[in-house]
């Protein structure tokens, strides 16, 4: 019997039924590589990792795990920062081999495998000058991103990722394959617009695409003491900015790039990042109010959307802790509180102290979906990455204090993809109390035994 309770004959039977591979601890390096996730804090040892290549593989793995009483974790293509894609002494359904993307340029749609990353999606759509709302880095997994709602650089123009979701193919807790769309299982389809992986294993998605031949990115940099004044101007700029403008206000460690003055490298700086759906002349015109604020460093470039998506990729192998608070407003007092807390961020490190704007097509999107945070105009996102375990408590405390500082202006809702395990009430806040009750009924239909619980869990009711 393998550790954790999977008998040898059951392991061999699963290997026989699957197209993909099944790895166990005795497999050594391939197993250790397969159980490694983005967050170096996570070190878990599954009984088996089923590297699925087809929906039939997924179904076989689920049935095997259930038959032998193993907890089941689902790993899509992305970060799993909270470690929910792994489980000690259980079975991991690993979708990363299922990353194919098929683009229909005439219908402007893409069919995306459940294990694809944003890079797989964006590189497939770029030759056609098409895109859809992706995350803010290329290494994000499409599946968890879309099922959690999905916010990114293009959301003010194209809406949330889930607003562009046309269909999902799903393997249920019973190992059955179903399809959800506006016409097929509409209540399940509704639940997949923010309810995460609670209802089954999503093996493919059909997404709506939009024309986006190129974008312009601007990165403007100031010393940290300029932050409060710059943020107030940035806030006022966003109030009338067109939907083509995205980006954020960020404190970070200045990188050793040619455009960065040597005295700023490896120190805390504040940055305004502007993304614009169009060429540089139009971007400069749109961002004119920001270009006269006396920045110390500037980088401006036209590039394909797929290249923008990997411009700020998070480095793997660091210790991670993320959180978020969504704000109904950003008065001067809130802006000052946000800026002051940046001094507690671990620096130098890849950490970022971020304020994202929403609005535009995000706010105008369907009000019925279980993403109550879409109406918040601002999102505070302490995004911590560091290397030394001795900094763990400091990093967590900075994130928690950042949330506490802006709590007076909080909407109460939260984008669950931005947080780890913060308790059941935060899950309810991320979905909305009434939505949660409706989602619990869908859960009871498709996963009454709560097989898929290693997530921002919705309990069946």
């Amino acid at each position: 019997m393998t550790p954790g309770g999977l008998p040898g004959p059951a392991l061999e039977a699963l290997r026989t039924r699957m197209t993909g591979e099944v790895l166990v601890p005795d497999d050594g390096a391939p197993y250790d590589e397969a159980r490694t996730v983005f967050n170096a804090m996570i070190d878990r040892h599954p009984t088996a990792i089923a590297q699925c290549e087809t929906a039939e593989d997924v179904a076989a793995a689920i049935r095997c795990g259930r038959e032998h009483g193993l907890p089941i974790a689902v790993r899509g293509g992305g970060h799993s920062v909270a470690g929910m894609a792994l489980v000690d002494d259980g079975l991991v359904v690993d979708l990363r081999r299922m990353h194919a993307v098929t683009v229909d340029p005439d219908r402007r749609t893409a069919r995306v495998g459940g294990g694809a990353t944003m890079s797989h999606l964006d590189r497939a759509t770029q030759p056609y000058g098409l895109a859809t709302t992706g995350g803010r880095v290329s290494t994000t997994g499409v599946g968890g991103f879309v099922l959690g709602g999905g916010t990114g650089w293009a959301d003010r123009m194209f809406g949330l990722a889930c607003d562009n979701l046309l269909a999902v193919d799903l393997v249920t807790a019973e190992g059955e394959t179903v399809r959800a769309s506006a016409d097929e299982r509409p209540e399940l389809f509704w639940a997949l617009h923010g309810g995460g992986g609670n209802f089954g294993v999503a093996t493919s998605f059909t997404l709506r695409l939009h024309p986006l031949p190129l974008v312009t990115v601007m990165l403007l940099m100031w010393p940290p003491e300029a932050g409060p004044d710059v943020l107030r101007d940035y806030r006022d700029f966003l109030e009338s900015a067109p939907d083509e403008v995205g980006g954020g206000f960020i404190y970070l460690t200045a990188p050793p790039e040619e455009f960065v003055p040597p005295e700023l490298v490896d120190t805390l700086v504040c940055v305004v990042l502007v993304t614009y759906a169009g060429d540089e002349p139009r971007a400069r015109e749109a961002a004119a109010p920001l270009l006269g604020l006396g920045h110390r460093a500037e980088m401006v470039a036209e590039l394909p959307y797929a290249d923008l998506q990997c411009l700020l990729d998070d480095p793997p192998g660091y210790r991670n802790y993320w959180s978020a608070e969504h704000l109904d407003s950003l008065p001067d007092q809130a802006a000052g509180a946000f800026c002051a807390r940046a001094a507690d961020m671990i620096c130098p490190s890849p950490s970022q102290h971020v304020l994202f704007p929403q609005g535009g097509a995000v706010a105008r999107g369907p009000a019925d979906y279980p993403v109550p945070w879409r109406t918040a105009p601002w999102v505070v996102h302490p995004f911590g990455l560091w290397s030394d375990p001795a900094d763990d408590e400091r990093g967590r405390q900075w994130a928690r204090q950042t949330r506490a500082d802006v709590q007076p202006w909080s909407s109460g809702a939260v984008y669950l993809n931005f947080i780890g395990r913060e308790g059941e009430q935060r899950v309810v806040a991320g979905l909305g109390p009434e939505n949660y009750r409706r989602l619990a009924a869908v859960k009871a239909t498709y996963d009454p035994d709560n097989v898929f619980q290693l997530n921002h869990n919705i309990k069946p009711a």
Side-chain angles (χ1 to χ4, degrees):
M1 180 177 288
T2 57
L6 186 62
L11 173 62
E12 292 310 311
L14 178 59
R15 283 174 164 161
T16 300
R17 289 196 297 268
M18 282 187 51
T19 304
E21 295 184 64
V22 182
L23 299 174
V24 297
D26 286 346
D27 290 318
Y31 167 84
D32 285 329
E33 182 178 354
R35 72 177 184 86
T36 300
V37 293
F38 181 80
N39 185 355
M41 286 185 182
I42 309 301
D43 183 22
R44 295 189 179 138
H45 295 78
T47 293
I49 302 171
Q51 297 186 310
C52 301
E53 295 184 358
T54 65
E56 291 76 18
D57 284 359
V58 172
I62 292 171
R63 292 189 184 110
C64 176
R66 296 202 66 183
E67 180 181 350
H68 295 281
L70 296 178
I72 296 174
V74 181
R75 182 168 189 176
H79 296 145
S80 186
V81 169
M84 297 176 184
L86 292 179
V87 59
D88 283 323
D89 299 329
L91 176 68
V92 174
V93 179
D94 186 343
L95 305 179
R96 286 176 296 167
R97 294 187 177 192
M98 301 173 64
H99 57 69
V101 178
T102 304
V103 178
D104 185 332
D106 296 326
R107 295 185 178 181
R108 292 182 181 172
T109 62
R111 182 179 170 90
V112 186
T117 64
M118 286 300 155
S119 181
H120 293 123
L121 173 57
D122 296 333
R123 294 299 175 189
T125 61
Q126 190 67 58
Y128 304 100
L130 299 172
T132 194
T133 298
R136 292 176 171 89
V137 294
S138 69
T139 51
T140 298
V142 174
F145 174 76
V146 173
L147 295 176
T151 169
W153 300 129
D155 58 11
R156 282 171 45 86
M157 188 166 51
F158 301 147
L160 300 175
C162 70
D163 297 340
N164 294 285
L165 181 61
L166 300 175
V168 182
D169 293 311
L170 198 77
V171 179
T172 71
E174 298 298 325
E176 298 177 356
T177 301
V178 301
R179 185 172 175 83
S181 68
D183 300 320
E184 303 170 87
R185 298 177 179 83
E187 188 69 359
L188 174 60
F189 188 58
W190 169 84
L192 297 173
H193 288 71
N198 274 282
F199 314 101
V201 179
T203 56
S204 74
F205 302 82
T206 304
L207 299 171
R208 180 185 300 111
L209 304 177
H210 307 267
L212 188 61
L214 65 84
V215 296
T216 298
V217 59
M218 295 184 176
L219 193 149
L220 311 175
M221 186 178 293
W222 292 262
E225 59 270 18
D229 289 337
V230 174
L231 178 52
R232 287 190 289 269
D233 287 327
Y234 178 70
R235 172 200 61 196
D236 296 344
F237 161 74
L238 256 294
E239 288 182 357
S240 58
D243 292 353
E244 289 82 0
V245 170
F249 179 88
I250 311 169
Y251 284 89
L252 49 74
T253 300
E257 300 288 348
E258 288 187 7
F259 69 92
V260 179
E263 65 273 16
L264 294 183
V265 171
D266 282 341
T267 71
L268 185 68
V269 294
C270 72
V271 165
V272 169
L273 176 68
V274 177
T275 61
Y276 182 81
D279 59 26
E280 182 177 336
R282 293 183 180 180
R284 287 188 175 277
E285 181 180 356
L290 302 175
L291 295 173
L293 299 180
H295 52 276
R296 293 277 303 278
E298 172 183 312
M299 187 277 289
V300 182
E302 289 182 0
L303 66 172
Y305 176 72
D307 290 347
L308 166 64
Q309 288 288 77
C310 61
L311 189 66
L312 297 175
D313 273 357
D314 318 322
Y318 283 85
R319 305 175 75 79
N320 280 249
Y321 187 84
W322 308 356
S323 194
E325 202 69 44
H326 289 60
L327 309 186
D328 280 331
S329 62
L330 188 68
D332 289 353
Q333 188 178 356
F338 171 80
C339 291
R341 187 58 62 182
D344 291 341
M345 187 183 79
I346 295 170
C347 180
S349 79
S351 299
Q352 298 180 20
H353 190 70
V354 185
L355 184 70
F356 287 127
Q358 290 197 150
V362 177
R364 296 192 301 269
D368 180 53
Y369 294 153
V371 283
W373 42 271
R374 75 156 70 237
T375 57
W378 296 98
V379 186
V380 169
H381 183 32
F383 177 84
L385 298 91
W386 57 89
S387 57
D388 190 345
D391 285 329
D392 285 358
E393 184 54 33
R394 177 185 169 193
R396 292 190 186 101
Q397 189 66 11
W398 155 68
R400 291 166 182 159
Q401 287 298 322
T402 298
R403 282 190 56 213
D405 291 343
V406 298
Q407 190 66 42
W409 303 279
S410 173
S411 72
V414 62
Y415 175 41
L416 295 176
N417 283 354
F418 271 176
I419 72 171
R421 298 183 185 274
E422 296 185 4
E424 184 178 358
Q425 289 308 307
R426 282 280 269 175
V427 175
V428 174
L431 301 167
E434 294 201 7
N435 290 330
Y436 185 91
R437 287 188 284 273
R438 183 177 168 187
L439 289 163
V442 181
K443 177 79 169 181
T445 299
Y446 290 93
D447 185 16
D449 298 324
N450 204 12
V451 171
F452 303 116
Q453 61 179 264
L454 299 176
N455 47 36
H456 291 298
N457 194 233
I458 299 166
K459 295 177 181 178

